[in-house]
Amino acid sequence: MSPAALQSLLPSDPSSIAGYRLLGRLGAGGMGVVYLGRTDNGELAAVKVTHADQADQADFRARFRREVEAARRVSSPWAVPVTGADPDAPEPWMATAFVPGPSLGEAVTAHGPLTERGVRILGGAVARALAAVHEAGLVHRDVKPGNVLLAVDGPRLIDFGIARTTGETALTSTGMVVGTPGFLAPEQAEARAPEIGPPSDVFALGCLLAYAATGRPPFGTGAVDALLYRTVHDEPDLDGVPDGLLDLLRACLTKDPDRRPTAEEIAARLTEDTPGAAADWLPAPVVRTIAERSAAMLALPEIDATQLDASDTGDQPAPSRRKFLLLASGGGVALAAGGGIAAWAALRDDGKEDRKAGPTPKKRRWIIGVHADLTGPAKNIGRAQERGARLAVEQFNARKDKPFTLELKVSDDGGDKNRALAAARVLTGDPDVLGVLGPTSDYTGLAALPAYDEALLPLITVSAGSNMLINANLGQGLSMLQACPQHAIAGTCLAYYVLTKTRSVRPGILQDRTDDTYAWQYIGGANFAFRQTGLVPVPRVVPAGTTDYKRVLGEMMAEGMDAYVHCGLTPSAVLAARALDELGFTGMKITGQHVFEPRFPAEAGDAAEGWVLGAPVVDATTVKAASPFVAAHRKRYGAAPAFYTGESFDAVNILLQEVEKAAKGGKRPDRTELVPLLRKVRYQGVMGGYVFDAQTGELHPGAVGTFMYAVENGRYKPLEFAPGGPPKKRRT
């Protein structure tokens, strides 16, 4: 965990635990809370405290004790050490040394892959840490980018929560996959418990190093089932791995555990020296991040410089930041920073930090940001979202009792994921921005997310439904609220609609792999819903670029398909519509969000008639409660609001409601404290009700959902909300 993720303590939080003064929250989940703690001599630690109700469970306390014991058995400079623990306390806790650097996943996502030298240093250090793990008779079982923290003097392996003694199977049931898909071995993917051992960690290390070298996992991304299948059956994608590392990574990633090298052998083959105090093994932006986070330690309460002379009194000048760093307790900040001082020294500009303060800073502004695609493929959606945000801000400013005046700041990513991070930094880099609406699409959202998470700047999307935007395994989604259903949930809604409206007994579901992640989420949700009611669908997966849909769909009809769910994008939906029309198919034809655009009925023509589409938006002109909003939009823009405008209006008003509540007495709130407040919101907007999961920020199933439309005379005719569950009694 990093200082960028530090949140204020809650009133219910303790102020200290077993000699650790608690300075803030680093994270929280269903099992407990992780705090940033400090000892009396200045040492910083990540203090993990379990919930009392969990501690009452004997099996949970036993697992926690095993985690503590496992971490204590590992002795390596490249593994984060345990500095204290009490598994028998009323609320069991464990403290580990605090490393302020980013995780490997965060660094690669934000700044790209490492150099070959950087990968060698990373691999050598993590291999040595794993060698120590294996020497202690343990298997880590979760070597992934989120579990490797970066410091200038080398990486640190963390998290022994699922580590197990070699050969231990009592807690690894047959059929239970343990680890992170995309970074686990084939024997883990197939839950072959007796075969899981040190070679499994070596395979995961190979995945980790391929990711560090290329910026992508070697078995791709997407739905869990797809990742597990590729891990077991496909060859790794090592395109872009430096030639000097290819043979080693291929050896690590062989399917046969017995043919993989040991961790000691990997460390020996990666002969690059350890970095010491040099910062050049990491990209400069990563070093800068480490330096900034190390410097942020100075702002924490009661970390004081050591006095040079107890007799020094009177009007002595305050120590400069450099002197502060050099004088700070030797066992405290310097060690806790994990090389942060070296990073600061590598990047600082001598003479600048000791200058006197400049002019009085400008008066702070109150800004709401919009991150959208305004000029790219989804520009119609992005512009609608901007209009919704602008109306919300203008409505707020028109209030006579407004406590402050708002501004709107817009950043356009053009729908290009390569521009998304820069577009995000336009907003996160402005300290006056209090929250952001957006981004418009899944992939610009994923590319931009590291900037928002690092700044802990609230981010509300009404159109990006990828479940990867909130992914605890990758340590991301700290700032995100999804005011729309996730794609997998939307897929279940499509299936429930089929079950409610038809007599289907053999529904067909087809995945177009053009957008593999989106389609996998939809088909997974639909398949779950159908099987929940005992139906066995007719499935098909077609490669990107497939054009012969008549043959594929004809085969599905021959197998008894009586309803059709299309999990893919508009071009393939157009081909499917034409093919089904030619084949004379009369069952329900249904698809989801990424086909819900004017292009589908325009290109499919008569073949689109009767198709049903689900999307996370409602036609505002059909909602009685939205009448004042629709009138305001007509007055402002001369037309009825487009899809996504009303939802954006609601999302910005959710932000404004919580900002105003937090602005007690007109005092500007700390934007980093707003996300937990927003996730507890129950808000009734003009387009419906919004409730979020307090831990993840995803939309609660009981909130606004997927709305259904039918194509009629080339237009989308509003129908109703899709059911949130299977019908109590099937139509017969």
Side-chain angles (χ1 to χ4, degrees):
M1 292 291 182
S2 68
L6 190 65
Q7 304 170 21
S8 298
L9 295 173
L10 301 179
S12 58
D13 288 328
S15 59
S16 64
I17 292 177
Y20 292 91
R21 168 152 180 221
L22 304 185
L23 306 175
R25 283 178 162 227
L26 292 168
M31 295 176 63
V33 181
V34 181
Y35 300 99
L36 178 63
R38 184 185 69 83
T39 64
D40 289 340
N41 66 2
E43 293 180 2
L44 296 175
V47 185
K48 179 178 180 179
V49 183
T50 63
H51 292 314
D53 57 345
Q54 296 276 1
D56 290 339
Q57 303 173 22
D59 59 339
F60 176 85
R61 193 179 285 274
R63 288 198 302 272
F64 189 84
R65 183 177 289 106
R66 273 189 289 269
E67 178 180 356
V68 172
E69 292 172 352
R72 279 178 164 164
R73 286 164 64 178
V74 177
S75 177
S76 170
W78 311 117
V80 174
V82 174
T83 58
D86 187 354
D88 298 313
E91 292 185 327
W93 62 273
M94 177 175 67
T96 57
F98 179 73
V99 179
S103 70
L104 175 65
E106 181 185 353
V108 170
T109 300
H111 306 297
L114 305 185
T115 63
E116 180 175 353
R117 178 172 181 266
V119 175
R120 285 181 172 277
I121 289 175
L122 172 79
V126 177
R128 291 181 180 93
L130 286 175
V133 170
H134 301 159
E135 186 178 353
L138 299 169
V139 185
H140 189 284
R141 302 203 304 175
D142 200 19
V143 179
K144 62 182 180 181
N147 279 344
V148 175
L149 302 181
L150 302 181
V152 171
D153 61 345
R156 303 291 192 278
L157 180 65
I158 64 170
D159 198 350
F160 292 84
I162 62 172
R164 290 291 176 264
T165 302
T166 303
E168 180 182 355
T169 60
L171 296 175
T172 310
S173 303
T174 300
M176 179 183 295
V177 176
V178 178
T180 301
F183 294 92
L184 42 68
E187 58 270 23
Q188 290 175 280
E190 292 191 318
R192 305 195 304 263
E195 298 178 40
I196 297 174
S200 306
D201 285 345
V202 168
F203 190 98
L205 176 59
C207 295
L208 182 93
L209 297 183
Y211 173 81
T214 65
R216 63 184 187 279
F219 296 101
T221 59
V224 170
D225 289 349
L227 288 174
L228 298 180
Y229 180 89
R230 293 182 206 133
T231 298
V232 174
H233 299 287
D234 291 359
E235 290 303 310
D237 174 12
L238 299 180
D239 187 28
V241 172
D243 291 342
L245 295 171
L246 270 175
D247 288 345
L248 177 59
L249 265 59
R250 287 183 180 128
C252 292
L253 295 173
T254 184
K255 308 298 184 187
D256 183 355
D258 293 335
R259 296 176 57 197
R260 297 172 201 152
T262 65
E264 293 92 337
E265 290 169 345
I266 295 169
R269 291 177 66 174
L270 296 171
T271 56
E272 191 71 52
D273 292 337
T274 56
D280 59 350
W281 76 282
L282 290 170
V286 177
V287 180
R288 186 172 296 108
T289 298
I290 297 171
E292 290 169 352
R293 296 184 181 186
S294 300
M297 294 295 94
L298 305 179
L300 295 173
E302 295 187 12
I303 299 181
D304 302 320
T306 302
Q307 294 290 333
L308 279 177
D309 189 337
S311 65
D312 287 347
T313 58
D315 298 328
Q316 295 292 334
S320 69
R321 181 174 287 139
R322 183 178 185 184
K323 290 179 180 177
F324 196 107
L325 284 168
L326 294 175
L327 297 177
S329 170
V333 174
L335 290 179
I341 292 177
W344 181 270
L347 294 175
R348 68 182 292 273
D349 181 0
D350 285 330
K352 284 187 178 181
E353 68 219 50
D354 293 332
R355 293 174 184 171
K356 294 182 178 180
T360 303
K362 296 179 181 179
K363 183 179 179 180
R364 299 295 298 274
R365 299 180 296 162
W366 301 67
I367 301 175
I368 296 298
V370 175
H371 180 156
D373 173 7
L374 302 177
T375 55
K379 62 184 178 183
N380 291 337
I381 296 175
R383 290 172 180 174
Q385 292 172 348
E386 180 191 0
R387 286 187 173 188
R390 198 169 295 281
L391 277 175
V393 168
E394 290 175 355
Q395 175 183 279
F396 182 91
N397 286 339
R399 285 173 40 187
K400 292 182 179 179
D401 65 340
K402 64 180 182 293
F404 44 81
T405 299
L406 281 168
E407 299 177 38
L408 198 70
K409 185 170 185 174
V410 181
S411 187
D412 175 22
D413 61 28
D416 184 348
K417 63 183 180 181
N418 296 316
R419 291 171 51 188
L421 188 60
R425 295 203 186 280
V426 169
L427 300 174
T428 61
D430 185 340
D432 290 336
V433 175
L434 291 160
V436 176
L437 169 72
T440 304
S441 71
D442 295 340
Y443 299 109
T444 56
L446 287 166
L449 194 58
Y452 291 109
D453 280 353
E454 185 175 16
L456 279 184
L457 179 61
L459 181 67
I460 304 184
T461 182
V462 298
S463 53
S466 172
N467 62 5
M468 296 176 68
L469 287 164
I470 299 175
N471 191 323
N473 284 329
L474 295 180
Q476 63 193 28
L478 301 171
S479 57
M480 173 66 73
L481 287 90
Q482 282 181 313
C484 59
Q486 292 188 351
H487 296 320
I489 300 299
T492 65
C493 289
L494 297 191
Y496 291 149
Y497 195 80
V498 171
L499 294 170
T500 302
K501 300 295 182 179
T502 75
R503 297 183 176 88
S504 173
V505 294
R506 283 287 279 165
I509 48 178
L510 180 141
Q511 179 202 352
D512 159 28
R513 295 192 65 177
T514 303
D515 184 339
D516 200 27
T517 302
Y518 163 82
W520 256 105
Q521 291 176 36
Y522 257 86
I523 201 171
N527 188 51
F528 166 81
F530 285 133
R531 291 181 180 275
Q532 190 180 25
T533 57
L535 298 187
V536 179
V538 179
R540 284 295 186 279
V541 178
V542 297
T546 296
T547 58
D548 190 3
Y549 272 79
K550 189 173 182 179
R551 178 186 60 79
V552 174
L553 296 174
E555 292 173 356
M556 296 175 73
M557 290 173 63
E559 293 181 36
M561 178 179 75
D562 56 13
Y564 176 66
V565 182
H566 186 85
C567 301
L569 306 183
T570 299
S572 60
V574 169
L575 294 174
R578 292 172 179 168
L580 289 172
D581 189 53
E582 290 182 29
L583 291 165
F585 182 72
T586 59
M588 177 176 280
K589 303 170 287 274
I590 193 168
T591 188
Q593 177 184 351
H594 285 188
V595 184
F596 184 69
E597 56 176 335
R599 181 182 170 193
F600 173 63
E603 294 187 6
D606 291 342
E609 292 293 306
W611 272 67
V612 177
L613 293 91
V617 286
V618 181
D619 182 348
T621 63
T622 67
V623 181
K624 185 177 180 180
S627 296
F629 160 73
V630 173
H633 190 280
R634 288 186 186 278
K635 182 178 179 180
R636 176 72 166 80
Y637 295 107
F643 291 120
Y644 294 99
T645 308
E647 288 77 12
S648 301
F649 178 82
D650 282 347
V652 171
N653 275 311
I654 292 171
L655 266 173
L656 297 183
Q657 171 184 281
E658 295 309 304
V659 168
E660 187 172 359
K661 284 182 182 179
K664 298 174 182 177
K667 181 181 178 183
R668 181 186 178 82
D670 181 347
R671 69 186 190 179
T672 67
E673 298 177 355
L674 292 174
V675 171
L677 302 177
L678 288 162
R679 288 181 174 180
K680 295 177 182 177
V681 160
R682 302 182 70 89
Y683 184 81
Q684 185 63 40
V686 299
M687 306 305 292
Y690 299 82
V691 183
F692 302 94
D693 185 290
Q695 295 296 329
T696 66
E698 63 188 291
L699 193 69
H700 192 277
V704 294
T706 297
F707 199 84
M708 309 306 298
Y709 296 83
V711 179
E712 188 174 287
N713 297 321
R715 294 178 174 273
Y716 291 118
K717 176 186 175 182
L719 298 175
E720 59 193 317
F721 275 108
K728 294 181 180 179
K729 186 176 181 181
R730 283 294 315 282
R731 290 169 58 94
T732 57

